[in-house]
Amino acid sequence: PGKVEHRGVILLHMASSNQNAWNNFAAELQDRNFEVMTLDFRGHGESSGTEAELKEADYLQLVDDAAEAVEYLRDIDSDMRIAVVGAGLGANVALQLAQRDETLTAALLVSPQHNYRGVKITKINKQFTRPIYYLVSQTDTVSYEATQTLYQTNPSLNKELRVAEEADGRGTKLINHAPKLRDAMVGWLDLVL
């Protein structure tokens, strides 16, 4: 609630999670006057169906689900600068969405992988030139190796890689235990939006 600051953030959760995993970070963003939109992916949280019922093809439709969040923010302010932030599966969906929708200003990926249940980002990452931020823990070996490669092969002139040494875990579990990481993410979003 309150004044729209013409900048928004869409938060996309991990697999086997829901939008509530972002509650702390969403509140911090709202305190800094960002419009924030979260959602439950199909088969997760309060959405219909269950994750167990999802097939690989259904995971690609999560990009369509996230696109609805963009439309919601555009209805608030058609000129809003929007960043999409995702964790785990949500990171892959975030980059797919950002590549598809050129009106999105930036992408922030927490614990991405090259291919998460059929949501692939290796090729599109090599073409993505808008601001992008990668965050991963050293202890998350699968995402750590993928994130290093994604960062190295991304052509953006405004890219950043943060390897978390102060906390362990993957995705929202990583950032929920590390206020300094959340502060860094908010600071970056302040700069690019």
Side-chain angles (χ1 to χ4, degrees):
K3 182 181 173 189
V4 175
E5 291 289 329
H6 307 293
R7 57 191 190 157
V9 178
I10 297 168
L11 302 173
L12 304 175
H13 64 77
M14 300 169 37
S16 303
S17 185
N18 61 54
Q19 65 182 327
N20 294 326
W22 290 109
N23 286 350
N24 293 336
F25 188 57
E28 290 170 21
L29 288 169
Q30 288 174 325
D31 288 345
R32 297 279 288 271
N33 296 318
F34 288 93
E35 287 292 323
V36 180
M37 178 70 189
T38 63
L39 63 130
D40 284 334
F41 285 135
R42 63 184 68 202
H44 294 77
E46 295 183 22
S47 67
S48 61
T50 66
E51 187 176 2
E53 295 171 340
L54 293 177
K55 296 177 177 64
E56 191 167 287
D58 295 328
Y59 281 95
L60 293 174
Q61 293 177 354
L62 302 182
V63 180
D64 296 329
D65 295 347
E68 292 295 321
V70 175
E71 291 304 314
Y72 179 84
L73 290 178
R74 292 274 182 241
D75 286 345
I76 295 171
D77 179 352
S78 61
D79 296 324
M80 185 180 292
R81 295 180 311 277
I82 300 172
V84 61
V85 178
L89 169 64
N92 285 36
V93 172
L95 190 57
Q96 284 262 348
L97 176 63
Q99 181 66 13
R100 183 169 91 180
D101 185 344
E102 294 183 8
T103 68
L104 294 173
T105 304
L108 193 159
L109 312 180
V110 182
S111 307
Q113 296 181 16
H114 291 290
N115 178 354
Y116 202 107
R117 298 184 185 177
V119 184
K120 300 174 184 177
I121 62 171
T122 305
K123 288 181 184 177
I124 63 174
N125 177 73
K126 293 177 182 177
Q127 302 165 359
F128 191 79
T129 58
R130 281 168 276 150
I132 188 165
Y133 186 103
Y134 303 90
L135 171 63
V136 68
S137 169
Q138 288 180 324
T139 61
D140 179 4
T141 55
V142 173
S143 293
Y144 178 74
E145 290 178 17
T147 302
Q148 295 280 7
T149 303
L150 291 167
Y151 176 77
Q152 292 165 1
T153 59
N154 179 273
S156 176
L157 298 176
N158 187 353
K159 63 181 178 179
E160 189 167 332
L161 171 62
R162 174 78 184 261
V163 178
E165 297 174 358
E166 60 269 40
D168 294 336
R170 170 179 286 168
T172 49
K173 293 176 183 178
L174 169 65
I175 65 169
N176 282 334
H177 298 295
K180 288 183 180 180
L181 294 177
R182 293 194 307 273
D183 289 345
M185 293 167 64
V186 172
W188 185 79
L189 289 166
D190 256 334
L191 288 174
V192 298
L193 293 179

